[in-house]
Amino acid sequence: MTTDTGEVGERRLSLPAWRDIGHGAQRQGILLAFIVFLILFSLFSDRFASWDNASTVFRQVSIIGTIALGVTIVVIGGNLDLSVGSMLSFSTVMVVDLHDKIGPAPAMAITLVATLAIGCVNGILVGFLKLNSLIVTLGMLSAIQGLTLIYSGGQNVDITDQEATWFAFFGRDFVLGIAVPTWIFLGLAVVFHIVLTRTAYGRRVFAVGGNKTAAAFSGIRRARVVFSTYVISSFTVFCAALILGSRVMGSQNNVGQGYELLVLAGVILGGTSLLGGSGSVIKTVIGVLILGFIQNGLLLMGYQYYAQWLVTWVVIILAVWLDVASQRGRLFTTTA
């Protein structure tokens, strides 16, 4: 009798356990899919699982990842920033063009101020004037690209003496065997993670993105918080421009075209909700790495470049689906 009761108890206890496993798999579906991709790519390519290949992927995603860190903060605050691609073009062209004219350090300083000024414009329009962030940043995407063409006169720019300048440090050098772009990307990720999780400012960003009304009644000045998120986003674009400009030692006028979509894909894959109030910088790093390793694996397997876009689309749809499913508590809905 006692044995039967014990068996029933074990069965009853096992049901919640299985549900917990199911919910855990649902919440971590993208991570599980990533592991499956890694295993499959490792089976089809001997080079995929090597340290050299992994370090190459980290270096390649550093530009997208660095920008994605700032965009994550914007999205957690309840807004979007689609202007980062054109902003990257502008910043890269400016810092490279000014390099030979006034030197690397002054060029970096002026580019930083100009890039932050663009972020301030976005912040004022969205934060203080309360305009729709999608419309504002989409319009800024075109405006900044036009500004880039006006500044450069439609000409590509290059650094003349590429071997003699220390500017190459940001994109080409290594520290302790790890590429400097990787250090910049991961270093900023750690800083922003601490800011979001350990400071009052981070709590205000989550509050503003999660519930604007409650944040207002709590005394949080929403306009200032939103403004600051766009300034942070523009700062990460500046850092990415340093990496890109010093790696290539030149720049095309449209070098940042399409980056906004890849950045947003990495943010979404990291689980940051487009509705605001939810997200993590560390998970954004994982999301960016998922994109990087998937694209790298496809190239090593001999697939054409356009295959990356198709697979990226599938992964993004899967990520959004799992994000919505985690909020409503089930994978499918039966209501119309």
Side-chain angles (χ1 to χ4, degrees), residues 284-303:
T284 292
V285 173
I286 296 175
V288 170
L289 290 177
I290 290 175
L291 286 177
F293 276 106
I294 288 177
Q295 294 175 355
N296 174 259
L298 291 173
L299 286 177
L300 291 179
M301 291 173 62
Y303 285 94

Side-chain angles (χ1 to χ4, degrees), residues 166-196:
W166 55 265
F167 183 66
F169 170 80
F170 300 102
R172 298 185 177 184
D173 283 4
F174 291 79
V175 175
L176 300 178
I178 299 176
V180 171
T182 302
W183 283 114
I184 295 175
F185 172 35
L186 297 182
L188 288 175
V190 171
V191 171
F192 289 145
H193 174 71
I194 294 174
V195 169
L196 284 179

Side-chain angles (χ1 to χ4, degrees), residues 56-73 81 84-85 88 92 181-182 184-186 188-189 192 232-233 235-245 247 255-270 281 283-296 305 308-309 312 316:
T56 298
V57 173
F58 269 92
R59 186 180 183 185
Q60 289 175 341
V61 304
S62 59
I63 297 174
I64 296 174
T66 299
I67 300 174
L69 298 177
V71 174
T72 298
I73 298 177
D81 191 353
V84 291
L88 178 64
T92 308
T182 302
I184 295 175
F185 172 35
L186 297 182
L188 288 175
F192 289 145
I232 292 174
S233 179
F235 172 74
T236 59
V237 172
F238 165 75
C239 295
L242 291 185
I243 297 174
L244 181 58
R247 176 189 298 179
V255 68
Q257 184 176 2
Y259 269 75
E260 59 278 347
L261 299 180
L262 292 175
V263 166
L264 194 58
V267 173
I268 295 174
L269 286 176
V281 166
K283 289 185 177 180
T284 292
V285 173
I286 296 175
V288 170
L289 290 177
I290 290 175
L291 286 177
F293 276 106
I294 288 177
Q295 294 175 355
N296 174 259
Y305 185 79
Q308 301 178 17
W309 293 98
T312 300
I316 291 174

Side-chain angles (χ1 to χ4, degrees), residues 3-334:
T3 303
D4 294 340
T5 304
E7 291 177 354
V8 173
E10 289 178 0
R11 287 196 296 270
R12 289 177 177 175
L13 289 174
S14 64
L15 291 177
W18 280 110
R19 280 198 295 266
D20 291 341
I21 293 174
H23 291 324
Q26 180 177 307
R27 290 192 300 268
Q28 304 300 331
I30 288 298
L31 183 58
L32 294 177
F34 178 45
I35 295 175
V36 172
F37 273 117
L38 293 182
I39 295 174
L40 291 176
F41 288 143
S42 299
L43 293 176
F44 285 99
S45 176
D46 296 334
R47 293 184 296 167
F48 183 78
S50 66
W51 165 251
D52 288 340
N53 186 62
S55 61
T56 298
V57 173
F58 269 92
R59 186 180 183 185
Q60 289 175 341
V61 304
S62 59
I63 297 174
I64 296 174
T66 299
I67 300 174
L69 298 177
V71 174
T72 298
I73 298 177
V74 173
V75 175
I76 291 176
N79 298 290
L80 295 173
D81 191 353
L82 298 179
S83 65
V84 291
S86 294
M87 201 185 307
L88 178 64
S89 298
F90 173 79
S91 300
T92 308
V93 167
M94 174 171 281
V95 72
V96 171
D97 178 67
L98 293 178
H99 178 279
D100 288 351
K101 296 178 179 178
I102 59 177
M108 291 166 56
I110 293 177
T111 303
L112 174 60
V113 172
T115 308
L116 292 180
I118 296 175
C120 289
V121 173
N122 283 335
I124 291 173
L125 294 176
V126 178
F128 290 97
L129 298 184
K130 296 180 173 58
L131 302 182
N132 184 279
S133 62
L134 175 64
I135 303 301
V136 168
T137 57
L138 190 60
M140 287 295 289
L141 182 149
S142 299
I144 299 171
Q145 188 60 52
L147 182 63
T148 304
L149 292 172
I150 293 173
Y151 174 83
S152 64
Q155 301 295 320
N156 297 332
V157 293
D158 294 287
I159 294 177
T160 304
D161 193 355
Q162 301 181 5
E163 301 298 329
T165 176
W166 55 265
F167 183 66
F169 170 80
F170 300 102
R172 298 185 177 184
D173 283 4
F174 291 79
V175 175
L176 300 178
I178 299 176
V180 171
T182 302
W183 283 114
I184 295 175
F185 172 35
L186 297 182
L188 288 175
V190 171
V191 171
F192 289 145
H193 174 71
I194 294 174
V195 169
L196 284 179
T197 59
R198 302 294 180 86
T199 66
Y201 172 76
R203 291 190 289 272
R204 288 195 292 269
V205 173
F206 279 100
V208 167
N211 192 320
K212 300 177 182 178
T213 304
F217 280 109
S218 300
I220 298 176
R221 298 183 176 180
R222 175 185 174 275
R224 293 187 179 183
V225 174
V226 172
F227 175 85
S228 66
T229 60
Y230 280 100
V231 174
I232 292 174
S233 179
S234 63
F235 172 74
T236 59
V237 172
F238 165 75
C239 295
L242 291 185
I243 297 174
L244 181 58
S246 61
R247 176 189 298 179
V248 182
M249 287 295 173
S251 180
Q252 298 177 343
N253 291 287
N254 61 346
V255 68
Q257 184 176 2
Y259 269 75
E260 59 278 347
L261 299 180
L262 292 175
V263 166
L264 194 58
V267 173
I268 295 174
L269 286 176
T272 299
S273 175
L274 293 177
L275 300 177
S278 175
S280 167
V281 166
I282 299 301
K283 289 185 177 180
T284 292
V285 173
I286 296 175
V288 170
L289 290 177
I290 290 175
L291 286 177
F293 276 106
I294 288 177
Q295 294 175 355
N296 174 259
L298 291 173
L299 286 177
L300 291 179
M301 291 173 62
Y303 285 94
Q304 297 294 331
Y305 185 79
Y306 55 78
Q308 301 178 17
W309 293 98
L310 295 177
V311 174
T312 300
W313 174 81
V314 173
V315 174
I316 291 174
I317 296 300
L318 179 61
V320 174
W321 176 39
L322 292 176
D323 177 48
V324 174
S326 65
Q327 294 181 29
R328 68 190 179 200
R330 57 183 183 274
L331 291 174
F332 301 97
T333 179
T334 56

